[in-house]
Amino acid sequence: MKAKMNKILLVLCLAFCSVLAKNEIYDGHALYQIDLQTAEQGSFFAELEHRLNLDVWAHGGLGDPATVLVPKAARSLLQDGLGAAGIGYRLAVENVKEELDLEEKLLSEAAAKSNRTSRFGLPFDTIHRYAAVDAYLVELASRYPNLVTVVSAGRSFEGRDIKYLKISTTNFQDRSKPIVYMQSLLHAREWVTLPATLYAIEKLVIDVQEQDLLQNIDWIILPIANPDGYEFTHTSSRYWRKNRATGYMIGNWCSGVDLNRNFGFQWSEASSASVCSETFHGSSAFSEPEAAIIRDITLAYGDRIELFLDIHSFGSWMLYGYGDGQLPPNGLIIHMVGVRMAQAIDAVKWPSNRNYVVGNSALLLYPASGTTSDYAQSLGIPLAYTYELPAYRNNYSTLNGFLVDPDFIEQAGFETWQGIKEGARYAADSYRARNKK
Ligand SMILES: [Zn+2]
């Protein structure tokens, strides 16, 4: 009896103690919103960010405050620094651990209530782990062999298989069709991006209502671009962004490369050389296996990829290159298609979220180099975007930024899909028109 009791306690602890530990590390971390009114204040804050090694979630601008996650030990240093420089700030969340506990509770309750077990597919009421998505991709290919091929593209730093789907009515043989490429979860903590790719897969394979999207277009969809980081956000550190490369560690400190700074276009020009930074660019372009895998897919299919979507969160932005503020030669077309995609989403989005804003990433937000979509654009892919999906906002939930309320999961998939379809149809027309000449 006692042995059985101990076993129950052990099982409970394995389930519960690790949960405690996961959120415990953020106990006392606070979220600040900072009003940066002038360029001087912006540079002062950038220096403070670097010195205190802060995790900036939004850099602010266009009337929006900067948002920054601050560990307990750095809070007074930050407040003193801002006070001395006359910069206004607001404490948005006193203790983010409470929000993490709430997200976990809401998601696990939603998973327990899920009643779609009789129907094939991954339900849109919770956020699925790597293993479930991985198995789902394999199962899809076996159930729909004439439409879906699953490809193992290579392994992550920790050895996880990175899979993508090829969805095609013509087995990718009809070169008169363009390819639309999409990926999500390059940044580990951006959980709400996964439903966007899973929703697209559902509408292209399981619940097809618009045949033209399959007749006229081939699709490549890679749902989990950074599987090690993603699993780490579930098991150890919810706000982890980078991959899990350990080769750069300083003693026991700091690891991981920002995969969205590791691509071979303008590499290292506007990113960090410090492994402790959230934007650490790695030892060279494509030093990380996860980035090299995406490079290889893009190179293999680049001449047919007309639209390239790298899905991130958060902020309701539709961004295009280049990260140094220079526009590609077809910048006006990229902007116009971006606006059409944004309008398609805005037409069905929840009123509590703001409209999408479309523009060049450096001009709207901040300079960045070595990004995935800039690399795709630089290869000659006509339309490359970084979607930043909305943060969940409504009147009763206090979840912020990267955290996901289960109520928003299906909506995030649905509304993003409206934008993707708009862009995909434009891509089909423009690819055909160009190749007729
Ligand atoms: Zn991101």
Side-chain angles (χ1 to χ4, degrees), residues 126-403:
T126 194
I127 296 291
H128 302 284
R129 296 281 292 271
Y130 166 82
V133 176
D134 193 65
Y136 171 64
L137 300 182
V138 173
E139 178 70 15
L140 270 168
S142 98
R143 283 184 183 234
Y144 299 89
N146 296 325
L147 184 61
V148 179
T149 309
V150 63
V151 181
S152 290
R155 293 197 174 266
S156 64
F157 178 81
E158 291 178 347
R160 291 186 178 84
D161 200 13
I162 296 178
K163 290 190 177 73
Y164 65 87
L165 294 186
K166 290 163 70 178
I167 300 172
S168 171
T169 53
T170 45
N171 196 26
F172 267 63
Q173 298 301 309
D174 181 354
R175 297 188 59 82
S176 73
K177 293 159 78 169
I179 295 170
V180 172
Y181 174 92
M182 310 169 46
Q183 65 180 32
S184 51
L185 284 176
L186 189 67
H187 283 150
R189 62 193 177 186
E190 298 169 8
W191 287 7
V192 81
T193 66
L194 181 59
T197 44
L198 294 181
Y199 197 93
I201 291 170
E202 172 122 347
K203 293 297 170 187
L204 290 168
V205 178
I206 299 172
D207 180 23
V208 182
Q209 292 163 8
E210 294 163 282
Q211 282 293 338
D212 66 301
L213 297 168
L214 288 167
Q215 296 308 321
N216 301 334
I217 301 161
D218 285 347
W219 298 77
I220 293 177
I221 304 182
L222 195 163
I224 304 183
N226 175 12
D228 301 347
Y230 180 55
E231 279 300 292
F232 194 68
T233 61
H234 282 279
T235 59
S236 306
S237 178
R238 174 66 180 88
Y239 290 125
W240 190 258
R241 164 184 166 103
K242 302 187 283 182
N243 78 350
R244 293 294 302 150
T246 53
Y248 306 96
M249 290 175 83
I250 306 162
N252 284 329
W253 293 96
C254 301
S255 59
V257 172
D258 181 353
L259 296 172
N260 207 27
R261 301 291 183 276
N262 191 235
F263 282 70
F265 181 73
Q266 298 174 344
W267 178 80
S268 85
E269 290 177 17
S271 51
S272 177
S274 161
V275 61
C276 295
S277 166
E278 294 292 348
T279 58
F280 175 50
H281 51 226
S283 56
S284 61
F286 302 115
S287 57
E288 305 310 299
E290 299 87 355
I293 282 167
I294 296 163
R295 172 198 62 197
D296 292 347
I297 300 169
T298 329
L299 289 176
Y301 296 101
D303 60 337
R304 279 179 60 210
I305 299 177
E306 186 79 3
L307 173 65
F308 183 101
L309 300 175
D310 183 21
I311 302 186
H312 289 250
S313 79
F314 61 96
S316 304
W317 305 98
M318 203 158 285
L319 305 169
Y320 53 83
Y322 291 110
D324 62 355
Q326 297 284 326
L327 297 181
N330 62 334
L332 275 179
I333 300 285
I334 297 173
H335 188 84
M336 189 264 298
V337 178
V339 168
R340 284 170 56 162
M341 293 192 291
Q343 285 177 330
I345 299 176
D346 290 342
V348 297
K349 73 169 183 57
W350 282 355
S352 51
N353 280 322
R354 69 173 196 175
N355 285 340
Y356 267 80
V357 177
V358 184
N360 172 272
S361 57
L363 301 179
L364 281 183
L365 298 181
Y366 45 84
S369 58
T371 67
T372 316
S373 63
D374 270 10
Y375 175 70
Q377 190 78 54
S378 77
L379 292 178
I381 289 171
L383 301 164
Y385 299 90
T386 302
Y387 272 33
E388 296 278 357
L389 302 195
Y392 178 78
R393 279 179 208 159
N394 73 10
N395 294 330
Y396 64 88
S397 174
T398 58
L399 294 182
N400 261 277
F402 300 107
L403 302 188

